[in-house]
Amino acid sequence: MRTLRFLLVKEFKQIFRNRTLLPMIFLMPLIQLLILPLAADYEIKNINVYVVDHDKSTFSRDLISMIISSGYFKLVDYDSSYKRALSEVERNKADLILEIPNDFERNLNRDRVQKVFIAINAINGTKAGLGGSYLSTILKEFNKNIVMELDHSFDGKKALKRIDVVNSNWFNPYLDYKTFMVPAILVILVTMIGAYMCSLNIVKEKEIGTIEQINVTPIKKHVYVLGKLIPFWIIGMGVFSIGFFVISWGVYGIVPIGNILLLYGYLALYLVALLGFGLLVSTYAENQQQAMSVAFFFVMIFILMSGLFTPIESMPEWAKWIAKGNPVTYFIEVMRMVVLKGSGYRHIQNHFLIMMGFAVVLNFWAIANYRKTS
Amino acid sequence: MHSVVVENLRKQYKENVAVDDASFKVNEGETFGLIGPDGSGKTSIFRMLATLLVPDGGEAHVCGWDVVKNYKEIRKSVGYMPGTFSLYQDLTVEENLHFFATIFNTTITENYSLIKDIYVQLEPFKNRRSGNLSGGMKQKLALCCALIHRPEVLFLDEPTTGVDTVSRKEFWEMLKKLKKEGITILVSTPYMDEATLCERIGLIQKGRLLSIDPPQVIIEKYPKALYAIKSHNMIELLSALRELPLIGSVHSFGEHHHITIVDRTLTLLDIRATLEKELPYPFQIDKIEPSVEDCFIQLMEK
């Protein structure tokens, strides 16, 4: 015990004396957490729309003002030449063309039927898809208004006789992207810090040769390994707490609905598994460069296959299996479940069991592979 | 009683044989030197004895313990100082010493008497990070750390490589004092002049031990007469001497060439007379006592 205490004192002294590492540990996640969710927003705003209006009637003007006031679209120009509009798309100035035909208002009044033309620049698929669907929603809304306006005099019932779909979003009523992403990004940051710091630290001792000096001492293998894991476990907890309370709660106003202690319980277990991974990498790597490359390779896969950006449900079958073998997946799920949904222990029981499995396998593998002789 | 017993020790790195059937014994309280050029297998032997490397063949015992089976016991009773400085560079002198004392379950005060003479020199820098020390100071600190648990056997792998002459001298003075404390010292060095400071030396070349004797005996065993020759044009002299059948070997040694004569019955006067006929320029020749280096070269050529 006394030895372990001194190992910890030594480790913390070294960490706090490292002028590059210390700001990296605490500042980097905070800055990333402040910038990433704001910049990487799924909601598409500022779609440039070019309106080609051949009608120039009250109806067409109503439609245009409805589009602009939705907040998603920006009017590039208002013109009556489709050719000119297309050249704007070619120059990447416009994303969408809305063409309103001649006699738009007259046909609507007379025949109750009219068509408009939408051309979408599909180079950016997400923007095109979302822009198109936003615009159709607005057109539908416009359509409803017109029907009401034109038909209220003689056949009001007919207009109302249809299925109306009303959505209610649970757990994140305003579909706020940040509420969904910030807790998950916090998981990624804790993962990166834990995996990199832990593996690099041990490999550094190999590189400098201090591990030789340690190896000829009667120090026990597990005591030495614990002396390495505990500091980064504490740092992981610290980084998470700052991200969770200061940024997530303080800046973004994401108030966790579930039990915070439960979340910390899971974090504690997750860090044990993650540090086991870092340790495992360090037992295989000869120098810091190797450790960095290997850790980077895995962390990258962990992030992209964790359901952070794309839902796991929509992945192909084989990819789902990879995601299932990824510890990050489970923590992100737990994070979202507890913070947004208020899940209790019985809902994440399986997650606890699986993470326990990761922790045991990774750590035992690492300790078995860490040799004091070569 | 022997502190270190090495029997037919072998270590191979793929096709490279680093240690080839090495056998030697170190008596208790003895200062034993392993002398040999770079790459002769000294470090591999040290690492095997310090239980950092598993031998491929043969056996080795330290303090009566087997290096493979009883490595835990050995780690408690030896001090190892590797050739490269491998203490924590971001910890201060005092912190390093304190740290190593702690992991050996002891304290600085408990064994202070042993390191006192060395530590007083380090004391003014005790709050300096060890990475910022000079080469000589680093060696002293490393020695302190290796001694802090009062080991029975001390392994010093090239402790004086890259250290200035004054520090080297000081370092050997310290080893002499440690000997008085009864500590067995196994030291390696590529410097032949340090060999005479050991009680016994083992000359090692390509993983093989060429001879194990006290330095005086090694010198006495030198089989040929040795002369030092000097002239104004040393390079020309070297090639000229190599042509002569009279001369066994020629080696450049600083400002002299050391030559051996095949016919041992010849006197200095005979040789001088012969050489005067052969060499067109003036030279100076004297009979000399062989040094360890001469012995080493002679053994290597065998």
Side-chain angles (χ1 to χ4, degrees):
Chain A
M1 270 328 279
R2 201 174 85 105
T3 315
L4 181 61
R5 206 178 73 228
F6 275 94
L7 274 173
L8 293 179
V9 169
K10 176 219 117 194
E11 213 59 55
F12 274 110
K13 265 183 191 159
Q14 287 185 300
I15 292 167
F16 283 104
R17 273 180 200 171
N18 195 327
R19 290 282 156 92
T20 329
L21 197 66
L22 200 62
M24 279 280 281
I25 292 178
F26 289 100
L27 233 56
M28 185 189 76
L30 297 193
I31 290 172
Q32 289 193 356
L33 213 48
L34 284 175
I35 292 171
L36 265 177
L38 290 178
D41 198 329
Y42 269 155
E43 271 187 299
I44 303 276
K45 282 177 184 148
N46 304 327
I47 302 166
N48 296 312
V49 61
Y50 196 109
V51 179
V52 182
D53 188 0
H54 299 293
D55 195 41
K56 295 197 173 66
S57 61
T58 326
F59 269 19
S60 73
R61 250 174 292 136
D62 279 353
L63 177 60
I64 292 161
S65 73
M66 209 168 152
I67 292 169
I68 306 303
S69 61
S70 71
Y72 293 110
F73 296 96
K74 234 167 73 186
L75 189 65
V76 181
D77 212 341
Y78 174 79
D79 202 354
S80 55
S81 156
Y82 182 76
K83 228 175 133 185
R84 225 171 312 164
L86 198 61
S87 80
E88 285 300 293
V89 172
E90 280 164 357
R91 286 169 54 213
N92 217 8
K93 293 272 194 250
D95 304 307
L96 253 169
I97 304 171
L98 174 69
E99 194 176 24
I100 301 167
N102 260 331
D103 306 325
F104 178 66
E105 185 169 347
R106 208 189 67 193
N107 286 351
L108 270 175
N109 275 322
R110 203 179 56 196
D111 308 333
R112 300 282 191 270
V113 178
Q114 184 50 285
K115 281 180 178 162
V116 292
F117 176 70
I118 301 172
I120 304 169
N121 176 7
I123 285 181
N124 182 338
T126 324
K127 207 172 183 182
L130 281 171
S133 74
Y134 287 161
L135 200 56
S136 344
T137 315
I138 292 166
L139 282 169
K140 220 189 273 169
E141 194 68 23
F142 180 73
N143 194 22
K144 208 163 88 187
N145 291 349
I146 288 173
V147 171
M148 299 267 271
E149 209 170 290
L150 295 177
D151 291 0
H152 67 96
S153 48
F154 63 102
D155 198 357
K157 273 180 195 163
K158 196 182 163 194
L160 297 169
K161 227 189 253 173
R162 56 198 173 108
I163 296 172
D164 225 0
V165 180
V166 180
N167 294 315
S168 163
N169 298 310
W170 280 55
F171 311 124
N172 186 6
Y174 304 106
L175 283 182
D176 191 346
Y177 175 78
K178 289 189 268 316
T179 315
F180 178 66
M181 285 309 280
V182 170
I185 291 178
L186 183 56
V187 171
I188 297 298
L189 290 173
V190 170
T191 306
M192 282 168 66
I193 297 251
Y196 290 150
M197 299 295 155
C198 178
S199 59
L200 285 185
N201 184 286
I202 299 168
V203 176
K204 190 182 159 201
E205 295 226 11
K206 268 193 195 175
E207 222 174 63
I208 300 178
T210 43
I211 207 156
E212 294 260 281
Q213 200 82 63
I214 293 284
N215 282 349
V216 288
T217 67
I219 198 165
K220 295 212 172 55
K221 201 154 96 168
H222 71 267
V223 174
Y224 180 72
V225 168
L226 272 180
K228 284 291 175 195
L229 294 187
I230 293 173
F232 293 102
W233 189 84
I234 294 173
I235 287 172
M237 286 289 208
V239 169
F240 181 85
S241 302
I242 296 173
F244 192 70
F245 290 107
V246 179
I247 308 295
S248 177
W249 199 328
V251 177
Y252 293 108
I254 301 166
V255 182
I257 298 168
N259 189 339
I260 294 178
L261 278 178
L262 182 66
L263 202 59
Y264 267 84
Y266 200 80
L267 170 70
L269 183 61
Y270 175 72
L271 280 172
V272 173
L274 180 69
L275 295 177
F277 166 75
L279 189 67
L280 183 63
V281 170
S282 74
T283 59
Y284 280 104
E286 297 283 311
N287 52 49
Q288 294 190 60
Q289 200 181 18
Q290 285 177 6
M292 194 73 192
S293 324
V294 174
F296 189 78
F297 171 77
F298 280 103
V299 168
M300 201 69 185
I301 292 175
F302 283 173
I303 293 173
L304 293 177
M305 302 292 280
S306 65
L308 170 70
F309 299 112
T310 45
I312 292 166
E313 289 75 17
S314 60
M315 287 180 186
E317 199 57 36
W318 57 267
K320 275 184 201 169
W321 282 102
I322 299 179
K324 274 179 192 164
N326 175 359
V328 182
T329 309
Y330 299 97
F331 193 28
I332 288 185
E333 265 178 34
V334 166
M335 204 51 184
R336 283 173 175 165
M337 280 167 87
V338 174
V339 172
L340 301 185
K341 213 158 113 184
S343 300
Y345 174 69
R346 63 197 174 87
H347 301 112
I348 57 171
Q349 222 169 355
N350 273 339
H351 290 76
F352 261 103
L353 282 177
I354 292 166
M355 197 51 72
M356 206 108 68
F358 274 118
V360 169
V361 170
L362 287 169
N363 281 290
F364 272 89
W365 185 358
I367 291 178
N369 201 47
Y370 169 78
R371 275 181 239 104
K372 281 179 90 175
T373 42
S374 50
Chain B
M1 182 61 192
H2 300 293
S3 283
V4 180
V5 180
V6 176
E7 275 163 16
N8 306 324
L9 202 62
R10 266 183 78 82
K11 184 70 198 177
Q12 209 164 337
Y13 302 103
K14 288 185 184 140
E15 288 96 66
N16 275 334
V17 180
V19 180
D20 193 0
D21 273 339
S23 304
F24 62 91
K25 285 174 183 161
V26 183
N27 300 321
E28 213 166 286
E30 190 182 29
T31 306
F32 187 93
L34 266 183
I35 320 286
D38 293 338
S40 55
K42 301 190 296 289
T43 300
S44 293
I45 292 179
F46 271 90
R47 285 170 55 88
M48 283 189 274
L49 292 177
T51 74
L52 288 170
L53 202 63
V54 179
D56 291 330
E59 270 183 52
H61 293 265
V62 178
C63 308
W65 304 106
D66 186 277
V67 288
V68 181
K69 286 180 216 133
N70 310 106
Y71 67 93
K72 281 184 182 161
E73 303 300 326
I74 293 176
R75 283 174 185 172
K76 280 181 204 157
S77 42
V78 303
Y80 172 55
M81 186 175 152
T84 48
F85 182 71
S86 44
L87 299 178
Y88 291 99
Q89 312 232 5
D90 41 6
L91 295 183
T92 66
V93 169
E94 207 180 12
E95 284 165 348
N96 263 304
L97 197 57
H98 188 63
F99 175 73
F100 281 101
T102 315
I103 57 176
F104 276 106
N105 262 315
T106 177
T107 55
I108 297 177
T109 41
E110 206 171 302
N111 292 317
Y112 189 69
S113 61
L114 191 62
I115 59 163
K116 188 174 164 265
D117 290 334
I118 314 165
Y119 194 62
V120 285
Q121 299 176 51
L122 283 166
E123 201 118 46
F125 311 106
K126 69 176 183 188
N127 289 323
R128 194 184 280 191
R129 293 194 190 174
S130 72
N132 299 334
L133 291 174
S134 67
M137 284 293 171
K138 275 182 184 165
Q139 296 303 81
K140 281 171 195 153
L141 176 60
L143 185 61
C144 280
C145 288
L147 282 170
I148 194 65
H149 58 296
R150 197 177 274 275
E152 289 171 47
V153 183
L154 193 58
F155 295 121
L156 306 172
D157 190 8
E158 302 203 9
T160 51
T161 300
V163 174
D164 69 73
T165 327
V166 179
S167 296
R168 270 168 64 187
K169 229 181 187 152
E170 277 177 15
F171 197 87
W172 279 95
E173 287 301 315
M174 286 184 260
L175 295 190
K176 261 185 207 165
K177 280 179 193 156
L178 290 176
K179 191 189 145 42
K180 280 184 197 140
E181 297 275 343
I183 296 173
T184 310
I185 301 171
L186 182 60
V187 59
S188 76
T189 176
Y191 302 122
M192 305 289 167
D193 56 328
E194 287 179 351
T196 44
L197 302 167
C198 303
E199 283 168 86
R200 283 199 304 149
I201 50 177
L203 296 178
I204 183 170
Q205 158 82 7
K206 288 182 184 154
R208 284 172 178 279
L209 277 149
L210 304 173
S211 81
I212 304 160
D213 275 309
Q216 216 40 55
V217 176
I218 287 189
I219 290 165
E220 280 164 18
K221 277 186 181 169
Y222 195 77
K224 296 166 191 163
L226 192 71
Y227 299 87
I229 185 165
K230 189 180 163 183
S231 93
H232 63 274
N233 193 343
M234 295 298 281
I235 298 162
E236 211 185 292
L237 181 66
L238 190 70
S239 46
L241 290 171
R242 285 207 169 129
E243 299 299 311
L244 299 175
L246 168 80
I247 287 160
S249 67
V250 190
H251 291 285
S252 182
F253 267 75
E255 55 177 2
H256 291 92
H257 293 323
H258 287 189
I259 55 173
T260 54
I261 303 300
V262 180
D263 187 354
R264 290 202 72 174
T265 56
L266 292 173
T267 62
L268 179 61
L269 285 171
D270 298 333
I271 296 162
R272 189 177 282 148
T274 322
L275 286 178
E276 265 165 357
K277 270 183 254 163
E278 301 284 343
L279 299 170
Y281 37 79
F283 61 89
Q284 202 187 324
I285 186 164
D286 292 296
K287 193 168 190 326
I288 52 159
E289 277 295 303
S291 66
V292 175
E293 198 166 351
D294 291 304
C295 302
F296 187 82
I297 289 168
Q298 184 264 328
L299 287 167
M300 255 169 65
E301 284 174 344
K302 260 212 278 201

